[in-house]
Amino acid sequence: MSQKLAAVKGMNDLLPEEIGIWQHVEAAAREIFSRYGYAEVRTPVLEDTSLFERSVGEATDIVGKEMYTFHDKAGRSVSLRPEGTAPAVRAYVEHAVAQKEPLTRWYYIGPMFRYERMKTGRYRQFHQIGVEAFGAKEPAQDVEVMEMVVHFLNALELSGVALHLNSLGDEACRPEHQKRLVAYLSAHREELCPDCQTRLERNPLRVLDCKNESCRAIAQGAPKVQDSLCEACRQHLAEVRRRLDLLGVRYELDPSMVRGLDYYTRTAFEFVADDPALGTASAVGGGGRYDRLVRELGGPDVPAVGVALGLDRICLLLGAAGKRFGVRPDLFVAFVDVQAQDEAMRLSSALRRAGLRVELDTRGGSLKSQMKRADKSGARFALVLGEKELADRAGELRPMAGGEPRRVAFSELSAVLRRA
Ligand code: AMP
């Protein structure tokens, strides 16, 4: 007996009844991001494994535990991308974009892959909408990215998403903070979970975003990065805050938010939803500044800031809010016999060329079954073609939601449907 085929665990099919929301969100991103001068970039889903080891960081969960890594037929180690920033930076460096323009604004939309423990809002193939701005070290650039995301979420009418802001310091002040943090965490070593005991050696900042209860309690009392910021980082944060205020963008300072990737410097932020639809997967997006990454990946010394939003989670939120998106036909054309079908197909084709959405049942069948299908299609109007309609070159245009049918000449159909 053959085994039943099913999608790979953690990877979802998106069927047409859901796709309306996805297309709506993607269209909103394209429209709004383009208003700010961001252009789309598409990079491959597979990259050399070393790209992620060198950028996201070997000591992170993403690279250490969650990547889909395998050898291709030539024996190269490749990985399905677990995030979009490293590939974008790789493309930016590879195509020497910095030499062509001093300020580059990109966005991307696409699938990412992480072998994670699954739950509501957390999958192994998920989708991100991300933004990267290369070339500006100024706080204004951080603010542009955050304000653009707020604009995007507002356009989707997603309220209840809070912006959490933090500064992670830079190479001047982070080592000092790290030292104080390690001293504090070492004193509580025995109370940390086994994972955090390893993190303490390899990547102490990560202990602060462990979900384990006892680690969280210890994280609460940890030295705050704000208290160790150097003057330049302090000023950067103050300017980000001033400009956010200026634009009326509300945020909360969140000293415990450290993000799960290694490459951030200074500004880090997260968008967090307070909605049961997401269960405990409440982060809708996150980002920050990564001023060293372009150089570390072999490029010039170019500062950058970016954000990645979880498309699956945004669609879950919109679905839970009862939002429905999708296209419905303007007209359903039914027909009584083969001659009428010839005319139905000719007329439908002409109307589609005029920009209208028109459906018919190519299988023919009884009028009753065709009208059932018309109902199901959600069409706004139906038109039935028979001998009389063919002779008159006119028919009864029937509103599917109820109301009086009206007689319309075929030649007038396009104009009438457009106005209806
Ligand atoms: P990160 O850079 O890991 O913070 O990811 C940015 C955003 O992508 C998160 O805030 C989530 O909305 C989304 N995301 C990350 N991992 C997953 C996942 N496994 N499943 C669904 N969405 C995810």
Side-chain angles (χ1 to χ4, degrees):
M1 211 172 76
S2 66
Q3 207 189 337
K4 221 174 169 184
L5 291 174
V8 172
K9 199 169 170 206
M11 306 200 176
N12 300 317
D13 297 311
L14 292 171
L15 298 181
E17 61 256 33
E18 297 165 74
I19 212 76
I21 291 190
W22 287 68
Q23 291 177 339
H24 175 77
V25 174
E26 289 169 13
R30 289 180 205 288
E31 167 58 27
I32 288 165
F33 297 172
S34 75
R35 290 189 203 169
Y36 290 72
Y38 287 73
E40 183 173 358
V41 62
R42 298 189 193 187
T43 63
V45 291
L46 268 188
E47 295 276 356
D48 279 341
T49 302
S50 60
L51 171 64
F52 302 109
E53 289 170 347
R54 285 170 59 185
S55 54
V56 178
E58 286 180 84
T60 59
D61 283 354
I62 294 177
V63 171
K65 298 189 196 162
E66 297 168 359
M67 272 207 304
Y68 282 86
T69 298
F70 57 94
H71 287 97
D72 70 7
K73 291 190 192 301
R76 300 178 199 94
S77 179
V78 288
S79 295
L80 283 169
R81 61 181 183 194
E83 58 99 54
T85 297
V89 173
R90 200 251 325 122
Y92 177 82
V93 172
E94 186 170 337
H95 300 283
V97 180
Q99 286 167 25
K100 298 174 204 152
E101 56 187 18
L103 186 58
T104 298
R105 293 178 167 106
W106 284 354
Y107 75 88
Y108 59 84
I109 302 179
M112 307 292 159
F113 304 85
R114 295 182 196 171
Y115 196 86
E116 289 201 80
R117 202 189 299 270
M118 289 172 326
K119 55 181 187 178
T120 306
R122 201 201 282 154
Y123 314 107
R124 291 180 177 168
Q125 174 178 309
F126 61 100
H127 302 77
Q128 287 185 335
I129 300 182
V131 162
E132 317 291 351
F134 299 99
K137 64 179 185 330
E138 286 71 18
Q141 189 60 60
D142 313 21
V143 171
E144 177 181 274
V145 169
M146 285 184 265
E147 195 264 340
M148 183 167 80
V149 173
V150 169
H151 182 170
F152 168 65
L153 296 173
N154 287 345
L156 294 174
E157 296 177 16
L158 274 180
S159 51
V161 180
L163 169 58
H164 291 212
L165 177 69
N166 194 13
S167 172
L168 303 179
D170 62 6
E171 58 264 46
C173 54
R174 202 176 318 171
E176 175 58 28
H177 174 247
Q178 197 118 331
K179 225 191 285 168
R180 293 174 54 204
L181 185 64
V182 170
Y184 169 84
L185 293 175
S186 301
H188 294 272
R189 192 189 172 84
E190 298 311 313
E191 300 147 68
L192 293 172
C193 72
D195 272 353
C196 280
Q197 297 194 359
T198 315
R199 286 181 187 126
L200 177 54
E201 311 295 330
R202 303 182 62 185
N203 198 344
L205 212 54
R206 284 288 83 71
V207 174
L208 300 184
D209 62 8
C210 180
K211 302 286 176 279
N212 184 300
E213 273 307 314
S214 72
C215 300
R216 283 174 81 129
I218 294 164
Q220 287 280 318
K224 303 281 179 270
V225 64
Q226 262 88 16
D227 301 332
S228 314
L229 291 182
C230 61
E231 190 47 34
C233 285
R234 210 181 290 281
Q235 269 179 24
H236 191 96
L237 179 61
E239 185 62 6
V240 166
R241 296 181 63 182
R242 189 184 73 79
R243 287 188 183 275
L244 284 173
D245 290 339
L246 203 71
L247 294 178
V249 175
R250 291 224 298 269
Y251 64 89
E252 292 167 33
L253 270 188
D254 181 354
S256 66
M257 193 262 299
V258 292
R259 309 275 304 124
L261 304 89
D262 269 2
Y263 48 62
Y264 289 110
T265 45
R266 293 195 172 158
T267 310
F269 55 90
E270 235 164 40
F271 289 90
V272 184
D274 170 24
D275 192 309
L278 294 185
T280 51
S282 55
V284 169
R289 180 162 275 287
Y290 52 95
D291 287 344
R292 297 185 325 250
L293 188 59
V294 177
R295 193 179 31 178
E296 281 173 7
L297 292 181
D301 193 4
V302 172
V305 51
V307 63
L309 302 164
L311 185 48
D312 309 71
R313 292 186 190 171
I314 290 175
C315 293
L316 265 179
L317 287 174
L318 286 175
K323 298 250 161 54
R324 292 282 169 269
F325 304 92
V327 289
R328 42 195 295 226
D330 298 301
L331 179 67
F332 192 96
V333 184
F335 45 86
V336 298
D337 57 18
V338 176
Q339 284 73 37
Q341 180 172 12
D342 288 348
E343 182 56 33
M345 292 190 73
R346 201 198 57 75
L347 191 59
S348 300
S349 171
L351 290 171
R352 290 169 184 145
R353 275 158 221 275
L356 292 155
R357 296 196 181 98
V358 184
E359 268 190 41
L360 46 71
D361 191 335
T362 44
R363 302 166 306 168
S366 70
L367 259 191
K368 193 169 161 214
S369 76
Q370 291 184 55
M371 290 315 288
K372 240 191 192 161
R373 183 142 190 108
D375 231 4
K376 195 142 186 262
S377 76
R380 294 190 297 133
F381 293 93
L383 178 71
V384 178
L385 300 188
E387 208 178 323
K388 183 167 172 13
E389 285 76 19
L390 263 57
D392 295 354
R393 305 214 53 75
E396 302 279 315
L397 190 61
R398 187 184 314 165
M400 294 297 286
E404 283 304 300
R406 56 191 280 205
R407 192 150 187 86
V408 180
F410 292 170
S411 58
E412 296 295 316
L413 260 178
S414 162
V416 170
L417 284 168
R418 243 173 235 295
R419 267 185 268 120

Coordinates of all heavy atoms in Angstrom, one line a residue, residues 366-410:
S366 N -27.2 21.3 -16.4 CA -28.5 22.0 -16.2 C -28.4 23.4 -15.8 O -27.4 23.8 -15.1 CB -29.3 21.2 -15.2 OG -28.8 21.4 -13.9
L367 N -29.4 24.2 -16.1 CA -29.4 25.6 -15.6 C -29.3 25.7 -14.1 O -28.6 26.5 -13.6 CB -30.6 26.3 -16.1 CG -30.5 27.2 -17.3 CD1 -31.8 28.0 -17.5 CD2 -29.3 28.1 -17.2
K368 N -30.0 24.7 -13.5 CA -30.0 24.7 -12.0 C -28.6 24.5 -11.5 O -28.2 25.3 -10.6 CB -30.9 23.6 -11.6 CG -31.3 23.6 -10.1 CD -32.4 22.7 -9.7 CE -32.3 22.5 -8.2 NZ -32.7 21.1 -7.8
S369 N -27.9 23.6 -12.0 CA -26.5 23.4 -11.5 C -25.6 24.6 -11.8 O -24.7 25.0 -11.1 CB -25.9 22.1 -12.0 OG -25.5 22.2 -13.3
Q370 N -25.8 25.2 -13.0 CA -25.0 26.4 -13.3 C -25.3 27.5 -12.4 O -24.4 28.2 -12.0 CB -25.3 26.8 -14.8 CG -24.8 25.8 -15.8 CD -25.0 26.4 -17.2 OE1 -24.5 27.5 -17.6 NE2 -25.6 25.6 -18.1
M371 N -26.6 27.7 -12.0 CA -26.9 28.8 -11.1 C -26.4 28.5 -9.7 O -26.1 29.5 -9.0 CB -28.4 29.0 -11.1 CG -29.0 29.6 -12.4 SD -28.0 31.0 -13.1 CE -28.4 32.3 -11.9
K372 N -26.3 27.2 -9.3 CA -25.7 26.9 -8.0 C -24.3 27.4 -8.0 O -23.8 27.9 -7.0 CB -25.8 25.4 -7.9 CG -26.6 24.9 -6.7 CD -26.3 23.5 -6.5 CE -27.3 22.8 -5.5 NZ -27.3 21.4 -5.7
R373 N -23.6 27.1 -9.1 CA -22.2 27.5 -9.2 C -22.1 29.0 -9.2 O -21.2 29.6 -8.6 CB -21.7 26.9 -10.5 CG -20.2 27.1 -10.6 CD -19.4 26.0 -11.2 NE -18.0 26.5 -11.0 CZ -17.2 26.0 -10.2 NH1 -17.5 25.0 -9.4 NH2 -16.0 26.6 -10.0
A374 N -23.0 29.7 -9.9 CA -23.0 31.1 -9.9 C -23.1 31.7 -8.5 O -22.3 32.6 -8.1 CB -24.2 31.7 -10.7
D375 N -24.0 31.1 -7.7 CA -24.1 31.5 -6.3 C -22.8 31.3 -5.5 O -22.4 32.2 -4.8 CB -25.2 30.5 -5.7 CG -26.2 31.3 -4.9 OD1 -26.2 32.5 -5.0 OD2 -27.1 30.7 -4.3
K376 N -22.2 30.1 -5.7 CA -21.0 29.8 -5.0 C -19.8 30.7 -5.4 O -19.0 31.0 -4.5 CB -20.7 28.3 -5.3 CG -19.6 27.8 -4.4 CD -19.9 26.3 -4.0 CE -19.0 25.9 -3.0 NZ -17.8 25.1 -3.5
S377 N -19.9 31.2 -6.6 CA -18.8 32.0 -7.1 C -18.7 33.4 -6.5 O -17.7 34.1 -6.5 CB -18.9 32.2 -8.6 OG -19.9 33.1 -8.9
G378 N -19.9 33.8 -5.9 CA -20.0 35.1 -5.3 C -20.1 36.2 -6.3 O -20.0 37.4 -6.0
A379 N -20.5 35.8 -7.5 CA -20.7 36.8 -8.6 C -21.7 37.9 -8.2 O -22.7 37.5 -7.5 CB -21.1 36.1 -9.9
R380 N -21.5 39.1 -8.7 CA -22.5 40.1 -8.4 C -23.7 40.0 -9.2 O -24.8 40.3 -8.8 CB -21.8 41.5 -8.6 CG -20.7 41.8 -7.6 CD -20.2 43.2 -7.7 NE -19.7 43.5 -9.0 CZ -20.0 44.6 -9.7 NH1 -20.9 45.5 -9.2 NH2 -19.5 44.9 -10.9
F381 N -23.5 39.6 -10.5 CA -24.7 39.5 -11.4 C -24.6 38.1 -12.1 O -23.6 37.5 -12.3 CB -24.7 40.6 -12.5 CG -24.9 41.9 -11.9 CD1 -23.8 42.7 -11.5 CD2 -26.2 42.4 -11.7 CE1 -24.0 44.0 -10.9 CE2 -26.4 43.7 -11.2 CZ -25.3 44.5 -10.8
A382 N -25.8 37.7 -12.6 CA -25.9 36.5 -13.5 C -26.6 36.9 -14.8 O -27.5 37.8 -14.7 CB -26.5 35.4 -12.8
L383 N -26.3 36.2 -15.8 CA -27.0 36.4 -17.1 C -27.2 35.0 -17.7 O -26.3 34.2 -17.8 CB -26.1 37.2 -18.0 CG -26.5 37.5 -19.4 CD1 -27.7 38.5 -19.4 CD2 -25.4 38.1 -20.3
V384 N -28.4 34.7 -18.1 CA -28.7 33.4 -18.7 C -29.0 33.6 -20.2 O -29.8 34.4 -20.6 CB -30.0 32.8 -18.0 CG1 -30.3 31.4 -18.7 CG2 -29.8 32.6 -16.5
L385 N -28.3 32.8 -21.0 CA -28.4 32.9 -22.4 C -29.2 31.7 -23.0 O -28.8 30.5 -22.7 CB -27.0 33.0 -23.1 CG -26.1 34.1 -22.7 CD1 -24.9 34.1 -23.6 CD2 -26.8 35.4 -22.8
G386 N -30.2 32.0 -23.8 CA -31.0 31.0 -24.5 C -31.3 31.5 -25.9 O -30.7 32.5 -26.3
E387 N -32.2 30.8 -26.5 CA -32.5 31.1 -27.9 C -32.9 32.6 -28.1 O -32.5 33.3 -29.0 CB -33.7 30.2 -28.4 CG -33.7 29.9 -29.9 CD -34.8 29.0 -30.2 OE1 -35.1 28.1 -29.4 OE2 -35.4 29.2 -31.3
K388 N -33.9 33.0 -27.2 CA -34.4 34.4 -27.3 C -33.3 35.4 -27.1 O -33.2 36.4 -27.9 CB -35.5 34.6 -26.2 CG -36.2 35.9 -26.3 CD -37.4 35.9 -25.4 CE -38.1 37.3 -25.3 NZ -37.6 38.3 -26.2
E389 N -32.5 35.2 -26.1 CA -31.4 36.2 -25.9 C -30.4 36.3 -27.1 O -30.0 37.4 -27.4 CB -30.6 35.8 -24.6 CG -31.3 36.0 -23.3 CD -32.3 35.0 -23.0 OE1 -32.3 33.9 -23.6 OE2 -33.2 35.3 -22.2
L390 N -30.1 35.1 -27.7 CA -29.3 35.1 -28.9 C -29.9 35.9 -30.0 O -29.2 36.7 -30.7 CB -29.0 33.7 -29.3 CG -27.6 33.1 -28.8 CD1 -27.5 33.2 -27.3 CD2 -27.4 31.7 -29.3
A391 N -31.2 35.7 -30.2 CA -31.9 36.4 -31.3 C -32.0 38.0 -31.0 O -31.7 38.8 -31.9 CB -33.3 35.9 -31.4
D392 N -32.3 38.3 -29.7 CA -32.4 39.8 -29.4 C -31.1 40.5 -29.2 O -31.0 41.7 -29.1 CB -33.2 39.9 -28.1 CG -34.6 39.4 -28.2 OD1 -35.0 39.1 -29.3 OD2 -35.3 39.4 -27.2
R393 N -30.0 39.7 -29.0 CA -28.7 40.2 -28.5 C -28.9 41.1 -27.3 O -28.3 42.1 -27.2 CB -28.0 41.0 -29.7 CG -27.9 40.1 -30.9 CD -26.6 40.3 -31.7 NE -25.3 40.2 -31.0 CZ -24.8 39.1 -30.6 NH1 -25.4 37.9 -30.8 NH2 -23.6 39.1 -30.0
A394 N -29.6 40.6 -26.4 CA -29.9 41.2 -25.1 C -30.4 40.2 -24.1 O -30.9 39.1 -24.5 CB -30.9 42.3 -25.3
G395 N -30.2 40.5 -22.8 CA -30.7 39.5 -21.8 C -31.0 40.2 -20.5 O -30.8 41.4 -20.3
E396 N -31.4 39.3 -19.5 CA -31.8 39.9 -18.2 C -30.6 39.8 -17.2 O -30.1 38.7 -16.9 CB -32.9 39.0 -17.6 CG -34.2 38.8 -18.4 CD -35.1 40.0 -18.2 OE1 -35.3 40.4 -17.0 OE2 -35.6 40.6 -19.2
L397 N -30.2 40.9 -16.8 CA -29.0 41.0 -15.9 C -29.6 40.9 -14.5 O -30.3 41.8 -14.0 CB -28.2 42.3 -16.1 CG -26.9 42.4 -15.4 CD1 -25.9 41.3 -15.9 CD2 -26.3 43.8 -15.6
R398 N -29.3 39.8 -13.8 CA -29.9 39.5 -12.5 C -28.9 39.8 -11.3 O -27.9 39.1 -11.3 CB -30.4 38.1 -12.5 CG -31.3 37.8 -11.2 CD -31.7 36.3 -11.2 NE -32.1 35.8 -12.4 CZ -32.3 34.5 -12.7 NH1 -31.9 33.6 -11.7 NH2 -32.7 34.1 -13.8
P399 N -29.3 40.7 -10.4 CA -28.4 40.9 -9.3 C -28.4 39.7 -8.3 O -29.5 39.3 -8.0 CB -28.9 42.1 -8.6 CG -30.1 42.6 -9.4 CD -30.5 41.5 -10.4
M400 N -27.3 39.1 -8.0 CA -27.3 37.8 -7.2 C -27.8 38.1 -5.8 O -28.2 37.2 -5.1 CB -26.0 37.2 -7.2 CG -25.6 36.7 -8.6 SD -26.7 35.4 -9.2 CE -26.2 34.0 -8.2
A401 N -27.6 39.3 -5.3 CA -28.0 39.6 -3.9 C -29.5 39.8 -3.8 O -29.9 40.2 -2.7 CB -27.2 40.8 -3.4
G402 N -30.2 39.7 -4.9 CA -31.6 40.0 -4.8 C -31.9 41.3 -5.5 O -31.0 42.1 -5.8
G403 N -33.2 41.6 -5.8 CA -33.5 42.8 -6.5 C -34.0 42.5 -7.9 O -33.9 41.4 -8.4
E404 N -34.5 43.5 -8.6 CA -35.1 43.3 -9.9 C -34.1 43.1 -11.0 O -33.1 43.9 -11.1 CB -35.9 44.6 -10.2 CG -37.3 44.7 -9.5 CD -38.1 43.5 -9.8 OE1 -38.5 43.2 -11.0 OE2 -38.5 42.8 -8.8
P405 N -34.3 42.1 -11.9 CA -33.4 42.0 -13.0 C -33.7 43.2 -14.0 O -34.8 43.7 -14.0 CB -33.8 40.7 -13.7 CG -34.8 40.1 -12.8 CD -35.3 41.1 -11.8
R406 N -32.7 43.5 -14.8 CA -33.0 44.5 -15.9 C -32.5 44.0 -17.2 O -31.5 43.3 -17.3 CB -32.3 45.8 -15.5 CG -30.8 45.7 -15.2 CD -30.3 47.0 -14.6 NE -30.1 48.0 -15.6 CZ -29.2 49.0 -15.5 NH1 -28.5 49.1 -14.4 NH2 -29.1 49.8 -16.4
R407 N -33.2 44.5 -18.2 CA -32.9 44.0 -19.6 C -31.7 44.9 -20.1 O -31.7 46.1 -20.1 CB -34.1 44.2 -20.5 CG -33.9 43.5 -21.8 CD -35.3 43.0 -22.3 NE -35.0 42.2 -23.5 CZ -34.7 40.9 -23.5 NH1 -34.6 40.3 -22.4 NH2 -34.4 40.3 -24.6
V408 N -30.7 44.2 -20.6 CA -29.5 44.9 -21.1 C -29.0 44.4 -22.4 O -28.9 43.1 -22.5 CB -28.3 44.8 -20.1 CG1 -27.1 45.6 -20.6 CG2 -28.7 45.4 -18.7
A409 N -28.8 45.2 -23.4 CA -28.2 44.7 -24.7 C -26.8 44.3 -24.5 O -26.1 44.9 -23.6 CB -28.3 45.9 -25.7
F410 N -26.4 43.2 -25.2 CA -25.0 42.7 -25.0 C -24.0 43.9 -25.2 O -23.0 43.9 -24.5 CB -24.7 41.6 -26.1 CG -25.5 40.4 -25.9 CD1 -25.5 39.4 -26.9 CD2 -26.2 40.1 -24.7 CE1 -26.2 38.2 -26.7 CE2 -26.9 38.9 -24.5 CZ -26.9 38.0 -25.5

